[in-house]
Amino acid sequence: MAKQRILSGIQPTGNLHLGNYLGAIRNWVDLQEEYDAFLFMADLHAITVPHDPKRLAEDTYKVAATYLACGIDPEKATIFVQSHVSAHAELAWLFNCITPLNWLERMIQFKEKAVKQGENVSIGLLDYPVLQSADILLYEPDLVPVGEDQKQHLELTRDIAARLNFQFGSEETPVLKVPEPMIRAEGARVMSLTDGSKKMSKSDPSEQSRIDLTDPPEVILKKFKRAKTDPERGLWFDDPARPECHNLLTLYMLLSGQTKAAVAAECREMGWGQFKPLLAETAVAALAPIQARYTELMGDRTYLETVLKTGGEKARTLANQTLDRVKVALGYAMPL
Ligand code: TYM
């Protein structure tokens, strides 16, 4: 039987952080063993807010190197650059014409990012989830493994697929496959180190709010030392009054690979002065092999280019099949 497929991506905007790793990449590494994995750099999404053209290509390679350094294996997974597959932009246009405007106006991420942009809100920012729907539906994945913040975009993707199937397909022969989101219970929402009620984010102006995957040990130690906490003694999970405590314990659990019960027992009596260095050391140890491999990969551009070229070819073949099927369903005269 053919393997089931997963698809996911990350925007090459700024440094990747522990949220990207624990909410997304770490899960892909596990899933690639069992699933046919398509993983990409969402560089078309990266220009929906003002961007620096001098950094875009370099940031794209950095994300590719991070995937590989974290353990994505190009023999098992297809790794590619979104802009190398023109079907993404083309299918997004077709979807634009069947997607009601008010579906996009209520997207939380749009509303949040639009506020930050002030006057300078592009149509691309509003249209972002339609492009994301195209990214996903082109590859007919069974599952889309993402962090919690992408849930609304995946619901929209399912709605667009259902609408297109309803308007242009039949129940027996749907045009598009409707995928399921895959959001793991743990790590799906890593919170900021400066405010336990906000998610850790690449776009937070405060560097102190996140641990970047490339942060050196002394920076990791300093950031955890300064992380916001509370005056309680003893540490425990799941207390809504202690969001920072829950977040830091969860990070320790995921980075040390222990169970929740083991961490709860180990840390029950601890104060912050004892716990913070322990968490920092654990993070440094977990990131050390990733950082070493990342540095090696960033020094071997030829290898990265080969991986992305091979991935791009495979992605284009699959994506074009879906694009053609949609065009036929919409009634286009196809090129001979
Ligand atoms: P992006 O680049 O913001 O984030 C990439 C992945 O990391 C997850 N993530 C988090 N998980 C846990 N805690 C956090 N604090 C945290 N911050 C980010 C995200 O949920 C995501 O899984 N729109 C997407 C990129 C995209 C995409 C796609 C994803 C474009 N097309 C198609 C899946 C399928 C985004 O901006 O992710």
Side-chain angles (χ1 to χ4, degrees):
M1 224 175 70
K3 281 184 176 174
Q4 288 208 333
R5 186 173 299 139
I6 58 164
L7 169 125
S8 202
I10 296 186
Q11 292 191 73
T13 43
N15 296 326
L16 300 197
H17 52 67
L18 274 182
N20 299 126
Y21 177 57
L22 299 173
I25 307 176
R26 174 185 66 114
N27 302 331
W28 309 345
V29 173
D30 295 341
L31 292 164
Q32 69 180 340
E33 304 298 332
E34 249 184 84
Y35 291 85
D36 184 19
F38 278 71
L39 304 169
F40 69 101
M41 278 61 75
D43 60 345
L44 296 174
H45 282 93
I47 67 163
T48 52
V49 293
H51 82 289
D52 179 357
K54 290 193 216 76
R55 289 192 53 180
L56 184 57
E58 193 59 21
D59 284 350
T60 304
Y61 281 110
K62 282 185 181 171
V63 175
T66 307
Y67 287 2
L68 296 168
C70 290
I72 299 297
D73 178 352
E75 299 293 324
K76 294 181 183 144
T78 304
I79 306 169
F80 65 99
V81 182
Q82 182 186 29
S83 66
H84 294 182
V85 185
S86 56
H88 289 247
E90 197 174 345
L91 187 62
W93 175 256
L94 303 180
F95 285 174
N96 273 337
C97 300
I98 64 148
T99 306
L101 181 58
N102 66 6
W103 286 11
L104 299 179
E105 286 167 336
R106 60 171 186 243
M107 291 288 118
I108 298 162
Q109 214 166 67
F110 169 70
K111 288 197 245 175
E112 284 174 358
K113 288 192 183 176
V115 172
K116 286 193 197 154
Q117 295 307 313
E119 298 279 285
N120 197 8
V121 177
S122 70
I123 291 176
L125 190 63
L126 177 68
D127 203 25
Y128 180 116
V130 175
L131 178 60
Q132 181 160 349
S133 302
D135 299 338
I136 296 170
L137 297 171
L138 278 174
Y139 298 93
E140 304 192 272
D142 297 278
L143 298 169
V144 185
V146 284
E148 168 77 29
D149 60 346
Q150 296 301 312
K151 199 167 165 205
Q152 201 186 25
H153 290 165
L154 294 192
E155 279 159 12
L156 182 95
T157 302
R158 289 167 55 85
D159 288 346
I160 289 179
R163 188 172 170 93
L164 191 135
N165 285 340
F166 178 73
Q167 289 184 355
F168 301 101
S170 65
E171 239 170 77
E172 308 78 64
T173 49
V175 187
L176 295 164
K177 174 164 173 163
V178 184
E180 296 288 337
M182 185 187 212
I183 299 170
R184 269 210 188 163
E186 259 107 28
R189 200 164 165 80
V190 172
M191 308 311 274
S192 156
L193 298 188
T194 48
D195 178 350
S197 65
K198 271 188 7 198
K199 70 167 186 177
M200 188 177 282
S201 157
K202 284 181 235 153
S203 59
D204 192 318
S206 161
E207 300 257 340
Q208 165 61 37
S209 69
R210 62 184 163 263
I211 304 283
D212 288 340
L213 298 181
T214 49
D215 276 345
E218 63 280 9
V219 173
I220 297 178
L221 289 168
K222 202 156 82 194
K223 284 183 177 173
F224 276 127
K225 200 165 157 204
R226 288 190 188 155
K228 185 178 173 206
T229 50
D230 55 32
E232 289 274 0
R233 269 219 61 94
L235 307 176
W236 56 86
F237 284 102
D238 298 314
D239 184 342
R242 304 186 72 194
E244 287 83 14
C245 183
H246 178 79
N247 187 45
L248 296 178
L249 282 178
T250 305
L251 288 180
Y252 178 56
M253 172 182 82
L254 295 172
L255 293 168
S256 67
Q258 298 185 72
T259 62
K260 192 170 175 180
V263 169
E266 184 189 352
C267 303
R268 194 168 35 219
E269 313 275 317
M270 279 188 195
W272 292 113
Q274 193 186 353
F275 176 73
K276 280 179 159 182
L278 173 68
L279 170 59
E281 281 160 31
T282 307
V284 168
L287 294 181
I290 296 176
Q291 295 183 346
R293 182 83 183 111
Y294 175 81
T295 307
E296 235 172 71
L297 286 157
M298 284 305 284
D300 191 350
R301 183 56 65 90
T302 316
Y303 174 68
L304 289 180
E305 283 169 355
T306 312
V307 168
L308 299 182
K309 186 165 182 286
T310 312
E313 278 159 14
K314 215 171 138 196
R316 272 194 296 277
T317 308
L318 186 55
N320 286 335
Q321 286 170 8
T322 307
L323 177 63
D324 280 354
R325 202 171 57 249
V326 174
K327 286 168 85 174
V328 168
L330 264 55
Y332 278 93
M334 299 303 280
L336 298 172

